Amino acid sequence: MSAQDIDTDLAVGAELPEFVHTPTNIQLFRFSAATWNPHRIHYDQAYAREEGHPGLLVHSHLHAALALRFVREAIGPRWMVTRTQYRMRHPATPGRPLRFTGVVEASDGEEMTIVVAEHDADGTQCLEGTVVLERLA
Amino acid sequence: MTSDSPGLELFHRYYETMKTQVGERSSRPCGTLDERVITRFARAVGETDPVHFDRDAAKAAGFAGVVAPPNLLAAMFDWTPGQPEGELNPDGTPSDSARGEAARGLRGMGAGEEMTILAPVVAGTALTEEEELVDVVLKHGRRGPSVFVTTQHTFLDGSGAALNVNRRTVVMRPPHEEAS
């Protein structure tokens, strides 16, 4: 079944299939380049350590982009993201897997709210948020 | 009253500067959203849906052009050509605004965002960004003091219709040596 065939209408409480992704230095560099982001904490490891970070930091917007990718790939293309909110609880460094989980908090067939969490390899929560999707006509 | 270290002085000066700017608004043209900008962003994120890469797939799905992933507009760090390298802050961030200049020497990172997506964003859209500084909050936590700066970014298309309304928070902290 291709992604185009998915037309998921999940019940409240349903869990999305887990998504694990390991950001790499290359991904961080390309994300910085694609967003014209010159902030050194994302590509200059020595500088990131000078700031007291354990290494390069995954951009908050990349965390969010991955969370949004996770939800859309699970739900399928017949739904459109209309609202989202997220909060960064802990930074993450590349080379370590990030695990995305999601639970349907509300659904009426036309609109669905997914509660999303992202944890690092130690089980520390990096991102918490919600994604609201509307069924496309 | 104890005297602050230079780093904390810088941090408190930043907070005082930012507080005076709450409510300030600005507007800037972002140019026309290029298909290549969208496809590169989608590739960097690892998107798999062809509507982000393939014009025909996007059109078959009912869109006027290649579709931006949901937080592309939010994630774009800078819509300008950027400053000459020597003018950037030591951490690489722009210094060409009162806000950027005040942040020089501090440590910043994204803290979260609320996005409302009112319409799909597609290649070929002429964009304007309206920005408002909505909140500046000083907090004292386990890891020392921090300032949470919240800005609202509204992206409009060429007809003036809003595409995204994003409320973004960044956290600013004193220099590392001053924070421990």
Side-chain angles (χ1 to χ4, degrees):
Chain A
M1 188 171 76
S2 77
Q4 298 298 323
D5 297 323
I6 300 173
D7 185 14
T8 311
D9 186 6
L10 295 166
V12 172
E15 293 180 10
L16 273 52
E18 192 176 285
F19 171 64
V20 178
H21 176 79
T22 303
T24 61
N25 288 11
I26 292 172
Q27 184 173 37
L28 266 61
F29 168 76
R30 292 214 296 186
F31 194 81
S32 288
T35 58
W36 198 227
N37 183 341
H39 200 174
R40 291 168 71 191
I41 60 173
H42 304 302
Y43 59 85
D44 182 341
Q45 183 150 282
Y47 178 79
R49 289 190 168 141
E50 271 178 40
E51 280 208 2
H53 306 301
L56 299 179
L57 297 188
V58 177
H59 316 66
S60 63
H61 283 111
L62 179 54
H63 285 275
L66 291 168
L68 289 161
R69 180 185 145 199
F70 153 62
V71 168
R72 288 176 298 126
E73 287 182 2
I75 301 300
R78 293 182 182 141
W79 295 79
M80 178 186 152
V81 175
T82 54
R83 295 194 303 282
T84 185
Q85 64 82 24
Y86 66 92
R87 187 168 77 90
M88 297 311 305
R89 292 176 48 152
H90 199 268
T93 53
R96 307 185 74 226
L98 297 170
R99 187 170 56 88
F100 295 84
T101 54
V103 178
V104 179
E105 185 185 59
S107 177
D108 64 5
E110 296 303 317
E111 187 178 276
M112 195 163 21
T113 303
I114 314 280
V115 175
V116 178
E118 176 206 47
H119 291 82
D120 68 13
D122 298 326
T124 302
Q125 187 164 3
C126 297
L127 173 147
E128 64 180 8
T130 57
V131 180
V132 179
L133 304 105
E134 274 180 21
R135 187 192 289 279
L136 293 170
Chain B
M1 186 175 158
T2 56
S3 63
D4 281 344
S5 65
L8 277 174
E9 262 183 42
L10 190 70
F11 173 78
H12 287 297
R13 200 158 56 238
Y14 171 79
Y15 172 58
E16 295 301 330
T17 302
M18 294 303 289
K19 269 202 315 184
T20 66
Q21 294 180 25
V22 172
E24 281 193 8
R25 294 175 185 216
S26 58
S27 176
R28 66 188 66 86
C30 307
T32 299
L33 186 62
D34 185 72
E35 188 176 288
R36 186 62 55 87
V37 171
I38 293 175
T39 55
R40 283 184 171 171
F41 180 88
R43 194 64 82 200
V45 173
E47 296 284 359
T48 54
D49 191 331
V51 297
H52 303 306
F53 303 100
D54 180 342
R55 204 177 297 169
D56 293 336
K59 287 190 173 161
F63 299 103
V66 164
V67 187
N71 77 333
L72 182 149
L73 298 185
M76 201 58 67
F77 192 87
D78 186 353
W79 292 94
T80 77
Q83 292 170 273
E85 184 179 320
E87 295 174 15
L88 296 169
N89 284 332
D91 67 356
T93 58
S95 66
D96 55 354
S97 66
R99 210 176 300 168
E101 199 180 347
R104 189 178 186 89
L106 303 181
R107 295 178 299 157
M109 66 172 75
E113 188 146 4
E114 295 172 28
M115 299 194 311
T116 303
I117 299 169
L118 299 159
V121 176
V122 298
T125 305
L127 291 168
T128 300
E129 181 185 22
E130 294 179 345
E131 181 176 343
E132 180 182 357
L133 179 59
V134 292
D135 207 8
V136 177
V137 178
L138 176 64
K139 293 185 181 176
H140 294 276
R142 190 167 41 84
R143 296 164 63 194
S146 50
V147 172
F148 287 78
V149 178
T150 302
T151 47
Q152 180 160 299
H153 303 257
T154 303
F155 289 92
L156 310 167
D157 69 11
S159 73
L163 300 169
N164 279 195
V165 181
N166 304 332
R167 193 168 275 227
R168 178 180 314 155
T169 301
V170 297
V171 57
M172 303 299 296
R173 296 193 174 94
H176 178 52
E177 61 275 17
E178 311 294 342
S180 54

PDB file of all heavy atoms in Angstrom, chain B residues 9 35 37 40 71 152 161 172:
ATOM      1  N   GLU B   9      25.426  41.222  33.265  1.00  0.00           N
ATOM      2  CA  GLU B   9      25.069  42.612  32.914  1.00  0.00           C
ATOM      3  C   GLU B   9      24.526  42.674  31.490  1.00  0.00           C
ATOM      4  O   GLU B   9      23.512  43.302  31.217  1.00  0.00           O
ATOM      5  CB  GLU B   9      26.307  43.521  33.015  1.00  0.00           C
ATOM      6  CG  GLU B   9      26.386  44.289  34.314  1.00  0.00           C
ATOM      7  CD  GLU B   9      27.582  45.217  34.325  1.00  0.00           C
ATOM      8  OE1 GLU B   9      27.866  45.872  33.301  1.00  0.00           O
ATOM      9  OE2 GLU B   9      28.251  45.257  35.378  1.00  0.00           O
ATOM     10  N   GLU B  35      10.338  27.145  -6.000  1.00  0.00           N
ATOM     11  CA  GLU B  35      10.168  25.689  -5.923  1.00  0.00           C
ATOM     12  C   GLU B  35      11.415  25.013  -5.336  1.00  0.00           C
ATOM     13  O   GLU B  35      11.326  24.076  -4.552  1.00  0.00           O
ATOM     14  CB  GLU B  35       9.886  25.156  -7.326  1.00  0.00           C
ATOM     15  CG  GLU B  35       9.513  23.703  -7.377  1.00  0.00           C
ATOM     16  CD  GLU B  35       9.154  23.288  -8.799  1.00  0.00           C
ATOM     17  OE1 GLU B  35       8.075  23.689  -9.282  1.00  0.00           O
ATOM     18  OE2 GLU B  35       9.972  22.596  -9.431  1.00  0.00           O
ATOM     19  N   VAL B  37      13.527  26.208  -3.196  1.00  0.00           N
ATOM     20  CA  VAL B  37      13.581  26.415  -1.739  1.00  0.00           C
ATOM     21  C   VAL B  37      12.745  25.346  -1.039  1.00  0.00           C
ATOM     22  O   VAL B  37      13.164  24.760  -0.030  1.00  0.00           O
ATOM     23  CB  VAL B  37      13.079  27.835  -1.382  1.00  0.00           C
ATOM     24  CG1 VAL B  37      12.914  28.004   0.124  1.00  0.00           C
ATOM     25  CG2 VAL B  37      14.037  28.888  -1.929  1.00  0.00           C
ATOM     26  N   ARG B  40      14.380  21.744  -1.478  1.00  0.00           N
ATOM     27  CA  ARG B  40      15.583  21.578  -0.655  1.00  0.00           C
ATOM     28  C   ARG B  40      15.208  21.422   0.818  1.00  0.00           C
ATOM     29  O   ARG B  40      15.798  20.602   1.534  1.00  0.00           O
ATOM     30  CB  ARG B  40      16.535  22.763  -0.846  1.00  0.00           C
ATOM     31  CG  ARG B  40      17.287  22.685  -2.145  1.00  0.00           C
ATOM     32  CD  ARG B  40      18.289  23.814  -2.282  1.00  0.00           C
ATOM     33  NE  ARG B  40      19.149  23.588  -3.433  1.00  0.00           N
ATOM     34  CZ  ARG B  40      19.990  24.477  -3.910  1.00  0.00           C
ATOM     35  NH1 ARG B  40      20.092  25.673  -3.346  1.00  0.00           N
ATOM     36  NH2 ARG B  40      20.757  24.201  -4.936  1.00  0.00           N
ATOM     37  N   ASN B  71       5.980  23.467   8.295  1.00  0.00           N
ATOM     38  CA  ASN B  71       6.666  24.547   9.033  1.00  0.00           C
ATOM     39  C   ASN B  71       7.811  25.185   8.252  1.00  0.00           C
ATOM     40  O   ASN B  71       8.712  25.762   8.839  1.00  0.00           O
ATOM     41  CB  ASN B  71       7.121  24.084  10.427  1.00  0.00           C
ATOM     42  CG  ASN B  71       8.377  23.220  10.410  1.00  0.00           C
ATOM     43  OD1 ASN B  71       8.645  22.546   9.423  1.00  0.00           O
ATOM     44  ND2 ASN B  71       9.130  23.252  11.499  1.00  0.00           N
ATOM     45  N   GLN B 152       5.202  37.085  17.083  1.00  0.00           N
ATOM     46  CA  GLN B 152       4.185  36.528  16.170  1.00  0.00           C
ATOM     47  C   GLN B 152       4.570  36.864  14.737  1.00  0.00           C
ATOM     48  O   GLN B 152       4.903  38.013  14.429  1.00  0.00           O
ATOM     49  CB  GLN B 152       2.809  37.091  16.499  1.00  0.00           C
ATOM     50  CG  GLN B 152       1.726  36.530  15.570  1.00  0.00           C
ATOM     51  CD  GLN B 152       0.339  36.678  16.145  1.00  0.00           C
ATOM     52  OE1 GLN B 152       0.035  36.135  17.195  1.00  0.00           O
ATOM     53  NE2 GLN B 152      -0.504  37.429  15.459  1.00  0.00           N
ATOM     54  N   ALA B 161      -3.841  37.778   1.746  1.00  0.00           N
ATOM     55  CA  ALA B 161      -4.482  36.731   2.557  1.00  0.00           C
ATOM     56  C   ALA B 161      -3.431  36.035   3.426  1.00  0.00           C
ATOM     57  O   ALA B 161      -2.329  35.745   2.960  1.00  0.00           O
ATOM     58  CB  ALA B 161      -5.162  35.707   1.647  1.00  0.00           C
ATOM     59  N   MET B 172      16.749  32.961  25.649  1.00  0.00           N
ATOM     60  CA  MET B 172      18.086  33.554  25.645  1.00  0.00           C
ATOM     61  C   MET B 172      18.687  33.391  27.039  1.00  0.00           C
ATOM     62  O   MET B 172      18.008  33.632  28.045  1.00  0.00           O
ATOM     63  CB  MET B 172      18.009  35.048  25.281  1.00  0.00           C
ATOM     64  CG  MET B 172      17.346  35.337  23.939  1.00  0.00           C
ATOM     65  SD  MET B 172      18.193  34.604  22.514  1.00  0.00           S
ATOM     66  CE  MET B 172      19.765  35.479  22.588  1.00  0.00           C
TER      67      MET B 172
END
